[in-house]
Amino acid sequence: MSSQFPYTRPRRLRGSESLRSLFQEVEFSLDDLVLPIFVEEEIDDFVPINSMPGVRRIPESRLASEIERYARAGIKSVMTFGVSHHLDDDGSDTWNDNGLVARINRICKEAVPEMIVMSDTCFCEYTAHGHCGVLHDGKVDNDATLVNLGRQAVVAARAGADFIAPSAAMDGQVQAIRAALDGAGFHDTSIMAYSTKFASSLYGPFREAGGSALKGDRKSYQMNPMNRREAVRESLLDEQEGADALMVKPAGAYLDIIRDIREASRLPLAAYQVSGEYAMIKFGAQAGAIDEGRVVRESLGAIKRAGADLIFTYFAMDLALGGI
Ligand code: PBG
Ligand code: ZN
């Protein structure tokens, strides 16, 4: 008897590199990744983001050549964020056909037509107060913001964006945007909904990258990180409202939510590895505590294993260039 124990030996399938790769269950590739980019108007030089080593704001004047460089490296898709010099109470620059949202989407599509361009659709980088919508009596007015989201979506679609990606966390935003797009004839413009978006402390470095003026927080519109049932409900609502794809954000600390939504919906599901997740890996590696390339691959692989089809990550270019 003792010679037969243990009966089951999972180690048999781990004995060599060939065995391990033969039996590996999930994988990610460049085809699954979307690179988020920050584009600033009225500047001449790249601006490094101190809290995100390796990430730089791109001057609008250099955007076309950057997009060409990404395409050559094998990047299939970018998510555009504008860094505006034209802030006001409502973020009205976003629904101007010559405003920054329109220009950056147009430049990307004209530079590389096959690049899939997703337009982050929100107001926090265009409002003087830094909130994601219109303020009335110190509160973000949901329904007034919906009207403006529709305007911005149509402007981005007209500029050529393939996807409208509303991140404002307003109730009804997907339906409002779908109606506005269809009303303007943009039936083929898709919606990548930030459908389950938590009020996370992991967005900290993004606020520097995007130059956000926010004082306070977004807890009255983004979700409580402790809520699992509500997380599924939020994504299912966006599905009903007409989203073409769903998203969980952040990713790494929310793998249970990714799995829940994967099982609750048949829509494609994305996950956003956010600025704070990027920063933790970068600074950990810079301190010599972890191996950057291996931790990046492990974290992205785990996000796929949890059930994501695509991943937004600031590491996409590093991976494409083989730098990590
Ligand atoms: C804007 C927006 C944010 C992020 C994406 N879109 C910031 C926020 O909601 O506060 C975060 C991205 C990141 O941290 O990488 N609404
Ligand atoms: Zn916002």
Side-chain angles (χ1 to χ4, degrees), residues 3 8 54 119 145 149 151 154 166 168 233 288 307-308:
S3 66
T8 307
S119 189
T145 303
L149 281 166
R151 293 176 172 149
V154 168
R233 182 164 179 252

Side-chain angles (χ1 to χ4, degrees), residues 41-118:
E41 59 187 346
E42 299 168 2
I43 59 168
D44 295 322
D45 297 313
F46 287 89
V47 180
I49 316 291
N50 295 326
S51 54
M52 300 177 74
V55 176
R56 303 181 302 173
R57 290 187 192 163
I58 304 162
E60 183 185 350
S61 57
R62 309 221 193 165
L63 177 57
S65 57
E66 276 295 279
I67 293 292
E68 287 162 8
R69 191 169 74 85
Y70 303 153
R72 278 197 301 277
I75 299 288
K76 302 276 165 59
S77 179
V78 294
M79 168 84 99
T80 53
F81 291 95
V83 182
S84 174
H85 292 198
H86 295 88
L87 310 180
D88 64 15
D89 282 349
D90 301 341
S92 66
D93 187 62
T94 61
W95 65 82
N96 173 345
D97 276 308
N98 295 310
L100 187 58
V101 168
R103 298 198 310 271
I104 58 185
N105 288 303
R106 203 180 297 133
I107 291 169
C108 290
K109 283 310 278 189
E110 280 175 6
V112 178
E114 60 275 20
M115 180 72 71
I116 301 303
V117 176
M118 306 201 187

Side-chain angles (χ1 to χ4, degrees), residues 81 120 122 124 132 167-168 194 197 202-204 206-207 218 222 249 272-276 314:
F81 291 95
D120 182 84
C122 199
C124 47
C132 299
S167 66
Y194 282 77
K197 178 170 181 179
L202 292 164
Y203 308 150
F206 175 92
R207 306 263 162 95
R218 307 196 196 287
Q222 298 178 352
K249 174 178 172 222
Y272 196 140
Q273 183 180 56
V274 301
S275 57
Y314 301 97

Side-chain angles (χ1 to χ4, degrees), residues 108-188:
C108 290
K109 283 310 278 189
E110 280 175 6
V112 178
E114 60 275 20
M115 180 72 71
I116 301 303
V117 176
M118 306 201 187
S119 189
D120 182 84
T121 300
C122 199
F123 299 100
C124 47
E125 283 156 337
Y126 298 85
T127 52
H129 46 72
H131 275 292
C132 299
V134 181
L135 278 190
H136 278 154
D137 302 328
K139 286 190 177 151
V140 177
D141 182 330
N142 192 88
D143 297 12
T145 303
L146 292 183
V147 175
N148 295 344
L149 281 166
R151 293 176 172 149
Q152 179 181 163
V154 168
V155 163
R158 194 179 291 130
D162 300 286
F163 280 78
I164 303 304
S167 66
M170 295 298 120
D171 291 337
Q173 63 184 8
V174 170
Q175 191 173 6
I177 287 171
R178 187 70 268 161
L181 290 173
D182 288 350
F186 294 105
H187 303 283
D188 291 333

Side-chain angles (χ1 to χ4, degrees), residues 182-201:
D182 288 350
F186 294 105
H187 303 283
D188 291 333
T189 305
S190 303
I191 299 179
M192 163 63 68
Y194 282 77
S195 52
T196 295
K197 178 170 181 179
F198 292 98
S200 173
S201 306

